[in-house]
Amino acid sequence: MKPALIRFIAQRFSAPVNTTRFLSYTRLIAFLSVMVGTMALVLSLAVLKGYQDTFNAVLSRYYSHIQIQPLSADAANRMLMPGFGNFPQFSDVRFTAQSLEHEALIRCKGNIEGAFLKAWSNDEILNRTGLISTSVFTCSSMKKEVVLGKRLAVNLSCTVGDSVVLVTQPSRTLNASPVVVKCRVAAVLNTGMAQFDETLCLTTVAVLQTLMDNYGSPLLELWTADGTDNERLALQIEESLGSGFYSRTIRQQERAANMFRWIEEQQVYIPIVLSLITIVAVFNIVTTLLISIVEKSRSYAILLT
């Protein structure tokens, strides 16, 4: 058979029938549906993974992976000794810092809000976590300064340079008079997470020691490398420190449980919905292909004879 005749037969065989042009359009739409559904599935999962990684990064700026707390006065004094908190034998520990935490009322321009106060003894933690530049604020400074979360600053109607008043009850006894400290707002942080922006108040160690009446015990916070078994590492560090210390680990997912639970649910439901859409599109493709085969049955018979 001549090549020209073969080409003619192939073109006539593959050419659609005019009466079934609608089927060609439905087949094209089905193919496009599969493409769009697959692309939407990939993009949705990528966006959710990006949100999850972003939340983990933001939480790691404010929360350590492991916390070591003294259980006695002797242990608290040991924590104040130079070099305490260095663990060269544990390679999974990226960096450590001692911190003070307390709760207080903060007042500015007649507005009063509750705030969570925090200060680190090592200014390097601010640079390592990317929290705030040490050229703007340092926890070791003797100045009476604070850094407020954006929503907290909005609720207090204060801006950078304004003065705020911190009021708290000393930890030593409930009968003591409240401690009042006036501070200057050095900066305003916008983390994008309401749980920080509404209550976060970074301050200096000197201010927190004054508010706590030099009675509070510091915490030793440890940031570890990705993929580290923090529970096992915390127990090993606790054993190396000896008695008088308590270690605890809190997964970042537990700190923002509602947000991570929502992400996990979306990672389950979105693939199911998009898979159903894809299955319907694939069924349409198979149907149109079967119809095309049926309408070509006469051509098959001609070729077979």
Side-chain angles (χ1 to χ4, degrees):
M1 186 177 294
K2 296 182 180 181
L5 181 58
I6 295 175
R7 184 167 58 252
F8 173 77
I9 295 175
Q11 290 176 351
R12 293 294 297 174
F13 181 74
S14 61
V17 182
N18 293 334
T19 58
T20 60
R21 186 170 298 174
F22 175 74
L23 294 177
S24 300
Y25 292 145
T26 57
R27 185 166 57 245
L28 177 61
I29 293 173
F31 275 115
L32 292 177
S33 299
V34 174
M35 293 173 57
V36 173
T38 304
M39 182 177 64
L41 175 61
V42 174
L43 288 178
S44 300
L45 295 179
V47 169
L48 291 175
K49 183 64 168 60
Y51 274 128
Q52 191 172 14
D53 293 341
T54 301
F55 290 144
N56 280 323
V58 172
L59 290 173
S60 295
R61 293 181 180 180
Y62 306 97
Y63 293 122
S64 57
H65 300 101
I66 300 175
Q67 290 185 346
I68 306 294
Q69 184 175 1
L71 299 178
S72 63
D74 293 338
N77 292 332
R78 283 183 56 192
M79 293 186 67
L80 300 177
M81 297 176 59
F84 184 88
N86 296 328
F87 303 104
Q89 67 273 30
F90 300 108
S91 58
D92 291 331
V93 177
R94 293 166 52 204
F95 50 90
T96 64
Q98 293 187 21
S99 66
L100 291 174
E101 297 177 353
H102 202 56
E103 297 177 351
L105 295 177
I106 182 168
R107 182 178 183 273
C108 181
K109 300 178 181 179
N111 302 309
I112 300 177
E113 294 288 338
F116 175 73
L117 308 180
K118 191 175 184 70
W120 285 287
S121 60
N122 186 359
D123 291 327
E124 187 181 0
I125 192 67
L126 300 177
N127 290 326
R128 283 182 175 270
T129 59
L131 189 61
I132 189 172
S133 174
T134 52
S135 61
V136 177
F137 171 81
T138 57
C139 291
S140 60
S141 172
M142 298 306 296
K143 299 179 181 179
K144 295 181 178 180
E145 294 181 330
V146 294
V147 177
L148 302 179
K150 184 176 181 180
R151 291 195 180 187
L152 179 59
V154 171
N155 293 337
L156 293 171
S157 301
C158 65
T159 58
V160 176
D162 290 344
S163 296
V164 298
V165 177
L166 301 176
V167 182
T168 187
Q169 187 73 23
S171 303
R172 190 182 316 185
T173 174
L174 297 176
N175 297 326
S177 300
V179 180
V180 180
V181 178
K182 185 177 182 179
C183 301
R184 171 184 171 273
V185 178
V188 175
L189 284 178
N190 182 17
T191 66
M193 297 188 68
Q195 69 181 92
F196 296 121
D197 291 340
E198 290 180 347
T199 59
L200 179 64
C201 179
L202 297 180
T203 186
T204 63
V205 175
V207 169
L208 259 181
Q209 287 178 340
T210 302
L211 290 171
M212 299 171 71
D213 198 14
N214 294 316
Y215 187 74
S217 300
L219 295 174
L220 178 63
E221 301 190 68
L222 296 85
W223 282 260
T224 61
D226 295 338
T228 302
D229 186 353
N230 293 324
E231 294 183 359
R232 178 184 58 81
L233 180 60
L235 292 176
Q236 292 176 350
I237 293 176
E238 185 177 337
E239 291 177 358
S240 67
L241 292 175
S243 60
F245 293 94
Y246 169 73
S247 65
R248 65 171 182 169
T249 61
I250 301 178
R251 299 172 62 245
Q252 305 294 19
Q253 288 80 358
E254 296 176 0
R255 300 184 188 275
N258 293 332
M259 183 62 67
F260 282 100
R261 189 178 300 113
W262 176 83
I263 292 177
E264 291 176 355
E265 290 177 353
Q266 299 307 310
Q267 288 176 338
V268 173
Y269 296 139
I270 288 179
I272 292 176
V273 174
L274 294 178
S275 297
L276 292 176
I277 296 174
T278 304
I279 290 173
V280 173
V282 170
F283 179 77
N284 290 335
I285 293 174
V286 173
T287 302
T288 53
L289 290 175
L290 291 176
I291 293 174
S292 299
I293 293 173
V294 172
E295 76 174 8
K296 295 292 184 179
S297 59
R298 296 181 59 186
S299 301
Y300 297 150
I302 294 172
L303 291 176
L304 291 174
T305 58

